[in-house]
Amino acid sequence: MARLVVVGSLNMDLVVQSPRLPGPGETLLGGPFATFPGGKGLNQAVAAARLGATVTMVGALGKDDFGGALRAVLATARIDARLQDGGEHSGIAVITTAPDGENTIVVAPGANGRLDTAFVQAQEHGFAGAAAVLLQLEVPLAAVAAAAQLARRHGARVVLNAAPAVPLPDSLLAHVDVLVVNRGEAALMAHAPGADPETCAARLRARGCGLVVVTLGAQGAIAVDASGVHRQPGFVVVSVDTVGAGDAFVGALAVALAEGLPLVEQLRRGCAAGALATTRRGALPSLPTREEVDGFLRRQGG
Ligand code: RIB
């Protein structure tokens, strides 16, 4: 069974369905409101666990009720949780979703912003035997860098989902085996506004990471490595909510990588999990199980 470590954020998502996304300074009357567990770290940890991996999650929670609810999610998913006390408030994300599948997300990091390097380093024994370590950018960069170094020391592959995108030092990118970004993040990180995903990926590869994967929403994903560009077209589904689809993709890709599947299969399973996640509302509740992904791919003829 694949063993993964996730170092990242845990949020409670406060989600309102809206007839459209509001403009600056505009107030809209929205539709139903719901809270869902989320955060890119927790979503990717649960995505991997539902796909059959053994998962350790390192993060930080507050003392509030959200913290208690998020702890319970980790226990239900049978994830080995190593959680720093992050003060009063857990992370929250304020999310607006529109009928066309677009959304806006603003994250108040709370406890996630307090995850410190010393706490991550103290979890070193949890990295032993991991095939891959999954990282995102909703916790401090120093904690991400510490986790990447521990992964290297223990021979684990480093998968960095650079979201939300921020400028990254080449010293960190040099520790990354697989960089996963969406189209906008790729352009921003490659300092190439308007450039196509292949160009952005090539520029990012030149900064030190061996494999760059760019997710393209309904159009699927591309992966660029030393042998060239690999393409996986998107799967056609009836999409109701795209929040968490990127996390489903990353979790599935990482599990397939940890299981030693070839790159084309990693992309295919990532795109299948991402597509399935858009068919249900909420980030974490929408993440598919291994049976769902396998069944979906069988029906697609593969
Ligand atoms: O990727 C989706 C996630 O981004 C949401 O669950 C939200 O918490 C933000 O972190």
Side-chain angles (χ1 to χ4, degrees), residues 85-215:
D85 174 0
E88 292 304 312
H89 300 291
S90 299
I92 62 159
V94 177
I95 300 179
T96 307
T97 62
D100 62 1
E102 286 299 324
N103 59 65
T104 60
I105 304 180
V106 179
V107 174
N112 298 309
R114 295 180 174 217
L115 182 64
D116 64 40
T117 308
F119 183 81
V120 173
Q121 286 166 339
Q123 311 313 315
E124 175 162 3
H125 50 290
F127 285 66
V133 173
L134 270 76
L135 307 168
Q136 318 78 31
L137 299 176
E138 288 185 334
V139 295
L141 215 46
V144 174
Q149 277 167 10
L150 286 179
R152 272 278 186 267
R153 187 177 302 161
H154 289 275
R157 309 289 290 280
V158 177
V159 179
L160 172 62
N161 175 211
V166 293
L168 290 180
D170 288 358
S171 57
L172 174 58
L173 285 177
H175 285 304
V176 173
D177 297 294
V178 185
L179 178 70
V180 186
V181 282
N182 67 23
R183 200 191 295 256
E185 290 154 358
L188 201 139
M189 286 184 61
H191 306 294
D196 59 64
E198 291 83 353
T199 304
C200 296
R203 282 202 190 186
L204 290 168
R205 276 199 77 240
R207 293 180 53 198
C209 36
L211 171 62
V212 177
V213 176
V214 185
T215 58

Side-chain angles (χ1 to χ4, degrees), residues 11 13 38-40 43 93 95 105 107 138 243-244 247 283:
N11 296 331
D13 292 352
K40 294 184 195 303
N43 292 340
I95 300 179
I105 304 180
V107 174
E138 288 185 334
V243 179
D247 299 324

Side-chain angles (χ1 to χ4, degrees), residues 13-19 21 31-38 43 50 95-103 238-245 274-288:
D13 292 352
L14 313 181
V15 185
V16 62
Q17 292 177 42
S18 174
L21 300 183
F33 168 78
T35 58
F36 298 107
N43 292 340
R50 286 190 185 161
I95 300 179
T96 307
T97 62
D100 62 1
E102 286 299 324
N103 59 65
V238 179
S239 168
V240 297
D241 178 357
T242 57
V243 179
L276 283 169
T278 71
T279 64
R280 295 190 281 250
R281 289 202 180 276
L284 197 130
S286 73
L287 301 168

